[in-house]
Amino acid sequence: MQVSSHNERLVDLWWRGRDDGLVSSRVNQKERTRQAIVAATRDLARAGGEVTMPAVARSALVSEATAYRYFPDLASLLSEALAGVWPSPETALAPVAGSDDPVERVACATEALLRHVLSYQGAVRATIAATITRPGGAAMRPGHRFGLIDEALRPVAAGTAGLAQLKQDLAVVISAEALFTLTDLCGLSPEDAIASAVHTARTLTRAAIGKNRLAAARV
């Protein structure tokens, strides 16, 4: 890490020699350092491996202490680095944009989320680990599942009996936690784990929608 600190001092000295002024140069250097840390985190996340603050610091060519000066913890760093890398619910559900079948739409949402989790699983695991034991830490988790579930069930009329319960049930299935349970504890391959979660999401949705249709038919 001494090499990194030395490099940082050299960069600072170089910028101080410019005509831009010491204050503005220092601000610019701080912003470049911050962006380098964020970019390094994003690159590590895309690689799919474990994301830790020491690994980020090495990749960004700064000391670990420097990384912590810009971000107080890994959760806050991951939150900034991963902002914008997840597709919007509309984009994720583009393959079923023309369908009003909530079962098919939920299946698509489930697969879309879990495949994205697999692509960034190192960062996702780190985010869960960094927030799950901290009071209030869950607020730093993005909660992409909820937007996907809402969009998937958009064809279902608001106020439909059981809709709120179905959304809660699906939140358990359309989740990184469900995927990691199936791969880590049940020993399933990623593909089999996704297939299992999609099957469960379909079953929950079909049962809820079928119950509503049966009730409507009786009326």
Side-chain angles (χ1 to χ4, degrees):
M1 289 301 155
Q2 294 208 358
V3 174
S4 298
S5 298
H6 178 66
N7 288 341
E8 291 169 19
R9 286 196 296 272
L10 288 177
V11 171
D12 282 347
L13 289 172
W14 182 78
W15 277 97
R16 289 179 187 181
R18 295 178 61 84
D19 295 331
D20 299 335
L22 178 59
V23 174
S24 62
S25 297
R26 185 60 179 166
V27 169
N28 290 339
Q29 172 58 26
K30 284 185 175 181
E31 181 58 25
R32 279 191 296 275
T33 301
R34 182 185 184 87
Q35 291 305 315
I37 294 170
V38 171
T41 305
R42 194 173 291 128
D43 289 343
L44 286 173
R46 285 173 177 154
E50 184 180 9
V51 180
T52 64
M53 198 65 94
V56 168
R58 286 193 299 271
S59 181
L61 301 179
V62 300
S63 67
E64 190 175 345
T66 296
Y68 275 114
R69 279 200 298 272
Y70 286 87
F71 296 94
D73 50 44
L74 185 59
S76 60
L77 172 55
L78 286 168
S79 178
E80 180 167 331
L82 296 183
V85 304
W86 292 78
S88 67
E90 294 77 12
T91 299
L93 288 168
V96 292
S99 174
D100 287 331
D101 181 356
V103 176
E104 292 305 313
R105 292 174 66 85
V106 163
C108 181
T110 306
E111 182 163 357
L113 180 82
L114 298 189
R115 289 201 180 281
H116 211 72
V117 168
L118 281 177
S119 297
Y120 290 87
Q121 70 168 302
V124 174
R125 288 177 182 272
T127 299
I128 293 174
T131 59
I132 199 168
T133 60
R134 292 168 50 189
M140 300 187 69
R141 295 174 61 178
H144 297 293
R145 74 190 77 177
F146 300 110
L148 278 170
I149 292 169
D150 286 342
E151 179 63 19
L153 295 176
R154 183 170 47 79
V156 181
T160 298
L163 181 58
Q165 183 63 55
L166 174 59
K167 288 184 177 183
Q168 292 176 20
D169 294 344
L170 290 174
V172 178
V173 179
I174 307 176
S175 66
E177 296 91 338
L179 178 67
F180 297 148
T181 295
L182 291 169
T183 56
D184 299 356
L185 300 182
C186 296
L188 297 184
S189 68
E191 289 299 320
D192 287 344
I194 291 175
S196 178
V198 169
H199 170 75
T200 303
R202 280 178 175 274
T203 302
L204 286 170
T205 306
R206 187 178 294 112
I209 299 302
K211 185 183 296 184
N212 285 324
R213 287 173 178 167
L214 179 60
R218 287 175 177 169
V219 172

